Amino acid sequence: ENIILENENFNIFEFEKKIGKEHILPSLSVYVLNFYELFDEIVPYNKFENFVYEIAKGYHRENPYHTDLHAADMLQSIFTYNLYSKFQVILNLSDIDLLSIFISAIIHDYGHPGLNNNYLIRTKDNLSIKYNDISVLENYHVSEAFNIILKKQDNNILSNLSDDDYKLCRKNIIECVLGTDMTLHNQKYQTFKIRLQTENIKKGEGLEQFLLKQDPINLYNLKLEFLSFIIHAADISNPTKPLPIYREWAQRCVEEFFKQGDLEKKLGLPISFNCDRNTVSLPKSQLGFMDAIVSPLFTVFNEYFPQLSFTLDNLKKNHKYYKEIVEKEKNLKK
């Protein structure tokens, strides 16, 4: 059967089986850019193909979680959000804006070492020294990706852009990728939550009026905030996907955390939050993640874009699934 990309039940793992690991990010990326007719006038097709294969190669496949598969999945999520909610129309995004968020998704974890910022900072890793302990990995992902874009003319997907468009695109991409730093989650969530109240935005009503009354500079900044919010939502969206897909991602994510925990143990460092394979329960850690992070954010996200209610429906089902496992484990211990 044909796997349809324009679908909230899209299964990236099935897709990977069909087309093979090394083609998954390139083929999905080409599909999405082609869908929005971004090729040739804006992005030279041949250069894009070179670029995206180069990026795919730079993801570490030996990571359980932070790989090009996660990047492809995130790109597909953003693609789906736009198809269902038409955020491009509502936010009046240009082709450059749209291109920026897609490229951001493609590169957002490029070269990820499978260890988090906290680990890099604590071990005084070269990257943490280079980026002064500030959004260490996120800075690294963007910077390395731009090296690929600019180092070889054959990879320069932005070569058709005017200087102004290039500047805008670059600024958007930096903002979006840096916006995936989890330490910024709370600030983002609060900003968007408070705006619902102050601007009286409910189930999408009131959003367009709010945007219409902004001056150009405010509007530009707001668009950037929204792009960064959407990409952050997509980055933590695993619990909002159908259960079989979510379970697979949860397993991989926890495995990557445990590998870091093992390393910390070996180095005699305190083991990071959720990284101790001897004490952490996957169901409990996932419930914590849903309750503290994903559920609040997607509840707010849905007030802006109510057409994405399938995300909350899945979230409820998945929460129930893991809650039942935790209950069962409790009863067994009695």
Side-chain angles (χ1 to χ4, degrees), residues 93-305:
L93 300 179
S94 66
D95 284 346
I96 298 292
D97 294 328
L98 210 50
L99 175 67
S100 310
I101 196 169
F102 294 150
I103 291 174
S104 302
I106 293 165
I107 68 166
H108 86 282
D109 274 328
Y110 175 77
H112 198 296
L115 301 157
N116 64 21
N117 282 337
N118 195 25
Y119 178 89
L120 299 178
I121 292 166
R122 286 203 320 200
T123 55
K124 304 180 178 62
D125 186 272
N126 289 340
L127 288 180
S128 79
I129 303 302
K130 182 172 182 180
Y131 297 112
N132 303 318
D133 298 349
I134 300 164
S135 301
V136 177
L137 284 168
E138 293 76 17
N139 272 302
Y140 168 68
H141 304 316
V142 189
S143 165
E144 289 300 299
F146 266 94
N147 272 330
I148 285 176
I149 292 173
L150 301 174
K151 195 169 58 189
K152 267 177 47 199
Q153 207 30 53
D154 290 350
N155 295 337
N156 191 347
I157 54 174
L158 306 178
S159 58
N160 286 0
L161 302 186
S162 67
D163 285 351
D164 284 349
D165 280 346
Y166 170 78
K167 257 175 36 198
L168 175 67
C169 191
R170 177 166 158 81
K171 187 172 165 49
N172 285 350
I173 291 170
I174 292 170
E175 188 74 24
C176 280
V177 178
L178 293 184
T180 62
D181 181 348
M182 279 303 293
T183 60
L184 306 173
H185 165 81
N186 215 19
Q187 175 199 333
K188 270 196 172 59
Y189 164 67
Q190 291 299 344
T191 304
F192 276 81
K193 186 184 169 188
I194 290 164
R195 190 175 290 135
L196 292 175
Q197 291 149 359
T198 54
E199 299 302 330
N200 202 14
I201 296 165
K202 278 194 189 77
K203 294 271 166 274
E205 295 291 318
L207 176 55
E208 294 189 49
Q209 295 86 313
F210 164 62
L211 294 167
L212 279 172
K213 62 182 194 192
Q214 307 301 323
D215 64 64
I217 290 175
N218 267 350
L219 191 61
Y220 166 76
N221 290 326
L222 271 169
K223 279 184 192 181
L224 206 45
E225 267 183 41
F226 268 98
L227 288 175
S228 177
F229 187 78
I230 291 163
I231 200 166
H232 172 53
D235 197 20
I236 60 168
S237 66
N238 295 338
T240 69
K241 295 179 185 293
L243 182 64
I245 301 166
Y246 172 33
R247 271 174 47 186
E248 178 62 38
W249 281 128
Q251 197 55 56
R252 292 180 183 212
C253 190
V254 167
E255 191 43 48
E256 191 165 299
F257 286 170
F258 289 166
K259 283 178 102 163
Q260 175 173 315
D262 296 345
L263 197 55
E264 289 170 330
K265 209 179 213 160
K266 215 169 93 185
L267 295 171
L269 292 166
I271 298 179
S272 296
F273 179 63
N274 272 344
C275 293
D276 190 338
R277 68 169 75 242
N278 298 318
T279 59
V280 172
S281 130
L282 184 148
K284 274 190 194 157
S285 69
Q286 289 307 308
L287 283 176
F289 180 48
M290 285 187 256
D291 289 340
I293 305 285
V294 185
S295 204
L297 187 96
F298 271 86
T299 303
V300 166
F301 195 26
N302 270 271
E303 286 297 337
Y304 287 92
F305 305 111

